[in-house]
Structure formats: structure tokens, C-alpha cells
Amino acid sequence: MSEKYVIGIDFGTLSGRATVVRVSDGRELGSAIMEYPHGVMDRTLTAGDNQQLPPDFALQVPADYIEVLTTVVPEAVRDANVDASNIIGVGTDFTSASTLPTDENGVPLCEREEFKNNPHAYVKMWKHHGGTEQAERAIAIAEARGEMWLGRYGGRISSEIVIPKALETLEKAPEVYESMDYYVEAVDWIVWQLCGKLIHSAAPAGYKALRQNDQFPSEEYFAELNPQFRTFIADKFDAPVLQLGERAGGLTEEMADALGLPAGIAVAVGQIDAHVTAPAAQAVEPGQMTAIMGTSNVYIVNGKTARDIPGVFGITNGGISAGLWGYEGGQTGVGDIFAWIVDNIVPGEYQNEANRRGITVHELLTEKGSEQEIGEHGLIALDWHNGNRSILNNGSLSGTLIGMTLNTRPEEIYRAYLEATGFGLRVIIENFLEHGVEINEIVAAGGLLKNKFLMQIYADITRIPLSISGSKLAGSLGAAIYGAVAAGAYPNVYDAARAMGSKIDHAYVPNEENAKKYDLLYEEYLTLHDYFGRGANDVMYRLKEIQRSIHERKNN
């Protein structure tokens, strides 16, 4: 019998990638990647009239996803040099909580002439925080009503998730809200484009749309948010819900022609981009925390039972793999912060030196920073440049750097933020452990793995061995694994992960001497974490309000 193959398609923050994977052993045979033509629109609406966007906006163009899809899949198949007739399934993953309004046929409203200049008609990315006020109201009303599902989200509702974004659209762009037939997550929208059916994936519906115990919050709850929002689920968000690994449908004739694939092959239910990494890295057992490290970091771990944990970002039955409860935490800015330093505060002489040596500025800063002893830079940073996801779950918080002098060098600032993200990870882990969720291994994947110094910092700060994914393309590999299960090649994700996934055990082992030194800095981090994050000083909120008021005055 000829070998069979599946394609994993990974839609990330800045680009999309397709990888052709052999079903029998998970070998990656060919891959292609493409950046989104419009990128991230967080300053101006470049796809429209170039209007200046509010400071908390982060938008994308859905047509970019289709352009990437129809480009990278045929390229990956050519790169793999396989017979397309032997491809049996497609799996996809997407940046979580990226939402968009569409008509009844799935056509995005931003493609209509009357809405092309309306920011609310575009995709609101995971890091869009325009609905912060709506999120805070959603929390207050849930608390007042004693909604039991609130504990599954750590007692907080993030402005990143579906409900605040939809409510923001109703209240700030009612014409868009009234015109849309569906408000859909991109993870489900792309599957809709592939198989012609709108299906909600149970995982994102649970983590990002407040679906618990097979139901969404009540109409009475939505009505208290806004009377016009009462029937949001029935009117704008109603679709069948399927579990991970299930078949959403077959590839349509039209999409098969566009992708060069056989019509009717299995299209798997979509998954959150970070979560597909767990099976790819063979990290689906309880106690294994998968750390997906890139522009932001996501941490997921399976547990045998459900525990309401303060500060957890979400808990969903089957959210990572069937039969277990998936717990999620994360940091909204990691690689993005390192990039911000390089783009904004590194002098030209550093760029020149990096160019002469044929390395990146990131590599240069890491090298220079690693030459110092722990604590020698005299700095402590808070890694909240894009808000705090866990454990404070507050998009209004912002970054802080303490200890600078006129002698502070860029590499010292860079290292301080490397360490800050490690301290933030430790806060998340300690919160899980304190509330009875076992964590005995970190299995890391993502673009930041190339910074070996950072990986060792994480192992030292957390005192937990850090394994790494055996695949550099863990996202698209994980999506392919779900595609294989949907196609019937394996009975479940656990078996598919054992056959197709891979990891390198304990690639980084904690250094106890370093860990003790980091303990001292961690105590200072915790002090600042609680001082600015738990209400002792609300200066970050006040600065945000001043910023928003100035923007509103200038644009009204």
C-alpha cells in the first residue's frame, strides 16, 4: 500500500504555514510559509482609508488568510514531492479568539463597500483590547449574578475573548452588528471556507466563548450586558459544536481546485494554534505543561478533574485532548517585547555590529547579556507590554522597568525582559501547583526555542526540567495530527501523538546555583507584580484613560 499523507495548516499572528506530513511516522516532507500581506493593523486601517486606530486595536484582513492558504498548500505539496491523491486529510489551527463578522455565507463584512472603512468589520485579533470596558462589565455582572461558570476563567473575563469583542461591536458599531449574520472565530471560519459548513470547535468555544457544561451563558446574562445583546448566541453565534479530532466535513470542490487536493478529503475540526502543539510534542498526559513560545507565550496542561483556579485563563473539558480537562494560562507579550526593544531602543552601532558579524540583533543582545552575572544589570521588569493574561487577566496593565541608570546598556534591558518573562512563567506555574494541578515537566515549542540562553533561564527560574519539541514546525505538525485522526488513520489523538509527535527529553536542566540567585530577583518581581497588578497603585489604569481620552478628543 502507498504511504498516506496529511496537511497541517498553521495560521499564526504574522504568517501562515502549511506542512505535508507522513501519516505513518509524522515525518515532515515539505513546508511553505507566507506572511499576511496586510500584517497586523494596530496603528492605521491600511486595508481601508488609513484612518488612525485607537491605541488598543489589533486587526487583520480575512482575505489575507485565503491568499496565504491558496499559496502555501500547493507550495508545500510541491516541496514534499508527493502524489496529492495520497493526501487524506487537512487539519488547521488558528490564533485563538480572532473574531470577525460575516454574512450568512461566511463572507466577511469588511469586504462590503459600506464597511471597508469600519474597523469593527475586520478581524479583531487575540491581542485586540478595544473591548476592555465591556470585559469589565461582563465580570461585574457575572459576579453579581453568581454565575458559576466564572470560576472556570479564574474569576475574570479577558477583553481578548469573543463576548467582549462582540459586545464592543454592538455598542461602537451597531450598523456592523445588525448587518452580520454570524460572529465567528477565525479558527471556525477557515474550516467553513474549506468544507462549506460552519462548525464550532469545542475547544475555542470553551476557552474563548464561555461555553461550559455544553452550554453558553443564559440570555438573561447577555441581556444585563446590553438588552440588544440578549439573543447574541441564538442570532449570531449558533452552530453545531464538535470535538477535537472529529471530521468537520469534506473538502469542497471549489477549495480542492484552489489547493490542488482531492475533493472530499477529511477536514478536521479547527484547534487553537497553541494547543495543537501538545500532541506534536507528545505532551498530552497530565503533569506535562506545553509551553508554546513566540510573540506571546501560551501554557497548557491536562488534568484529570476540573478545578476552579483564580487567575487561570480557562478550563475546558477536552480542550487539549479528549477525556481530560485542559487548563490554559499565558503571557500576552514575550517575543513581541523582545522585538520592541530591538525596534525602538537599540542604537545603530549595535545593528552595524550585528551586520558585520552576520548575526541578528537579538543574537547580539543575548550574547552580550549572557556575559553578565545574574543580577549584575540591577534591573527588574514587568512583562506586561500587552497586558497581563495570567494570572491577573487584565489587558489594562502595562510594562515597567525599574533600576535604570545612565550606565544601563541595551543588552541589560534585553536580559531583564528575558528574565521577566521567566518570572511571569513561574507565577503561572506556582498558581497551578498551589491549586492542585500537577506540573512535573515543561515541554517547549515555538520560535523562541532558538534562544538557548532564554530556555536555560526558564529552567533555572522555574526549577523544572525543560524538554523541547522534536519538530521545529510543531504548530503545523500538530494540526496535521488532528487531520490524521479526522481522516480515520488513528482512533484518537493519544495514539496519533505517539506515532507522529516527537520531543527531546530534558534538553535544559535547572542549575540550582543559578536558581538561588534568581530567587532573589523573583521576590522583587512578585512585589512589583502585586503592587501594580492587585490595586495598590492604579497608575497604569489612569495612564491608559488619559491616553484613550486624548485619542477620542483628536478623532471626534
Side-chain angles (χ1 to χ4, degrees):
M1 294 179 63
S2 60
E3 290 279 2
K4 300 300 181 183
Y5 310 96
V6 285
I7 298 180
I9 309 166
D10 172 37
F11 291 91
T13 297
L14 302 174
S15 62
R17 178 189 295 276
T19 302
V20 179
V21 178
R22 191 161 61 195
V23 169
S24 60
D25 60 3
R27 183 179 175 188
E28 298 150 4
L29 301 174
S31 188
I33 188 170
M34 177 181 171
E35 293 187 354
Y36 304 131
H38 292 90
V40 176
M41 298 184 294
D42 54 8
R43 294 182 180 271
T44 59
L45 192 68
T46 54
D49 57 4
N50 283 311
Q51 64 180 275
Q52 184 178 357
L53 295 171
D56 294 322
F57 273 49
L59 311 175
Q60 284 189 317
V61 180
D64 287 357
Y65 305 146
I66 301 300
E67 183 174 349
V68 166
L69 176 70
T70 55
T71 299
V72 299
V73 169
E75 286 185 3
V77 174
R78 286 193 293 270
D79 186 45
N81 193 27
V82 301
D83 185 343
S85 66
N86 287 320
I87 295 172
I88 61 173
V90 174
T92 61
D93 68 82
F94 226 106
T95 52
S96 176
S98 296
T99 57
L100 68 154
T102 77
D103 68 11
E104 62 182 353
N105 297 312
V107 178
L109 293 195
C110 62
E111 296 180 7
R112 288 189 187 176
E113 185 66 25
E114 69 264 36
F115 293 131
K116 70 177 183 179
N117 296 324
N118 191 317
H120 296 277
Y122 288 82
V123 176
K124 293 180 178 178
M125 295 179 65
W126 60 270
K127 59 181 179 177
H128 173 92
H129 294 301
T132 296
E133 186 276 327
Q134 285 78 11
E136 292 300 321
R137 192 190 329 152
I139 296 167
I141 290 173
E143 289 176 338
R145 288 175 52 86
E147 297 285 357
M148 298 302 294
W149 48 258
L150 188 61
R152 296 277 171 89
Y153 303 93
R156 298 278 301 170
I157 296 173
S158 171
S159 58
E160 293 180 32
I161 71 170
V162 172
I163 304 308
K165 287 175 176 173
L167 186 57
E168 176 198 19
T169 302
L170 168 63
E171 296 179 342
K172 294 185 178 179
E175 66 281 11
V176 173
Y177 187 86
E178 290 302 317
S179 296
M180 71 186 185
D181 292 298
Y182 291 103
Y183 197 65
V184 59
E185 278 211 61
V187 64
D188 298 325
W189 182 79
I190 203 67
V191 170
W192 190 359
Q193 306 313 296
L194 288 167
C195 72
K197 293 190 293 185
L198 175 58
I199 299 291
H200 284 318
S201 170
Y207 289 110
K208 313 302 176 183
L210 307 181
R211 184 176 184 267
Q212 293 289 339
N213 301 327
D214 299 328
Q215 60 185 2
F216 294 99
S218 67
E219 289 190 356
E220 290 73 22
Y221 170 73
F222 285 120
E224 288 198 39
L225 294 177
N226 185 310
Q228 295 174 280
F229 203 54
R230 170 185 284 274
T231 56
F232 166 70
I233 296 297
D235 293 346
K236 314 287 188 182
F237 206 74
D238 187 34
V241 179
L242 295 182
Q243 297 295 320
L244 296 175
E246 291 192 282
R247 177 187 171 113
L251 190 67
T252 65
E253 293 277 358
E254 180 182 2
M255 192 56 76
D257 288 342
L259 301 181
L261 299 178
I265 63 172
V267 176
V269 170
Q271 172 61 308
I272 297 169
D273 61 336
H275 292 210
V276 293
T277 302
Q282 296 180 331
V284 292
E285 300 298 331
Q288 293 179 299
M289 172 180 275
T290 308
I292 304 90
M293 300 179 178
T295 53
S296 65
N297 281 8
V298 176
Y299 309 109
I300 56 175
V301 60
N302 269 326
K304 295 179 180 179
T305 59
R307 297 173 182 270
D308 291 354
I309 300 177
V312 72
F313 196 65
I315 308 167
T316 296
N317 190 5
I320 302 170
S321 50
L324 295 172
W325 288 85
Y327 292 79
E328 179 182 345
Q331 295 163 284
T332 52
V334 183
D336 269 355
I337 298 178
F338 309 151
W340 170 80
I341 295 170
V342 168
D343 293 342
N344 292 283
I345 66 174
V346 175
E349 65 189 75
Y350 280 61
Q351 183 67 68
N352 293 336
E353 180 180 350
N355 291 341
R356 285 196 310 270
R357 296 177 55 190
I359 61 176
T360 68
V361 177
H362 289 281
E363 291 169 327
L364 180 66
L365 291 173
T366 298
E367 177 187 294
K368 290 178 179 289
S370 66
E371 294 171 354
Q372 287 194 326
E373 292 187 22
I374 296 169
E376 187 176 350
H377 51 49
L379 302 172
I380 283 287
L382 289 177
D383 50 315
W384 299 344
H385 285 54
N386 198 32
N388 178 286
R389 180 179 292 157
S390 303
I391 60 175
L392 301 171
N393 201 344
N394 192 326
S396 293
L397 296 174
S398 51
T400 302
L401 182 63
I402 301 239
M404 287 184 293
T405 72
L406 294 177
N407 292 320
T408 299
R409 305 295 297 163
E411 62 267 24
E412 295 173 330
I413 295 174
Y414 193 82
R415 174 166 180 161
Y417 277 105
L418 295 182
E419 294 168 346
T421 61
F423 296 143
L425 169 57
R426 181 169 166 179
V427 168
I428 293 168
I429 290 173
E430 289 185 350
N431 188 58
F432 275 135
L433 294 173
E434 181 183 345
H435 292 90
V437 177
E438 176 188 3
I439 297 173
N440 50 43
E441 179 187 21
I442 300 172
V443 185
L448 292 182
L449 261 64
K450 59 180 174 280
N451 191 326
K452 296 180 180 179
F453 180 61
L454 176 62
M455 296 301 104
Q456 187 62 51
I457 286 175
Y458 284 179
D460 292 343
I461 287 176
T462 63
R463 283 189 175 86
I464 296 175
L466 194 144
S467 303
I468 62 175
S469 168
S471 169
K472 294 181 179 180
L473 307 177
S476 51
L477 172 59
I481 288 174
Y482 285 107
V485 176
Y490 292 96
N492 55 59
V493 171
Y494 300 98
D495 288 347
R498 280 189 287 271
M500 299 176 67
S502 64
K503 70 169 178 167
I504 301 171
D505 287 321
H506 296 185
Y508 299 90
V509 179
N511 180 306
E512 182 58 25
E513 183 179 346
N514 289 345
K516 290 178 180 177
K517 294 176 181 178
Y518 280 126
D519 285 344
L520 299 177
L521 297 179
Y522 180 63
E523 289 302 316
E524 301 300 336
Y525 177 92
L526 280 181
T527 299
L528 295 176
H529 176 280
D530 291 348
Y531 179 68
F532 288 111
R534 297 190 184 278
N537 190 331
D538 290 334
V539 60
M540 294 176 179
Y541 295 88
R542 295 192 294 274
L543 292 174
K544 286 266 189 180
E545 284 303 314
I546 292 171
Q547 183 184 45
R548 290 190 187 104
S549 65
I550 292 173
H551 179 272
E552 290 173 1
R553 175 172 52 79
K554 282 186 171 182
N555 289 276
N556 290 328

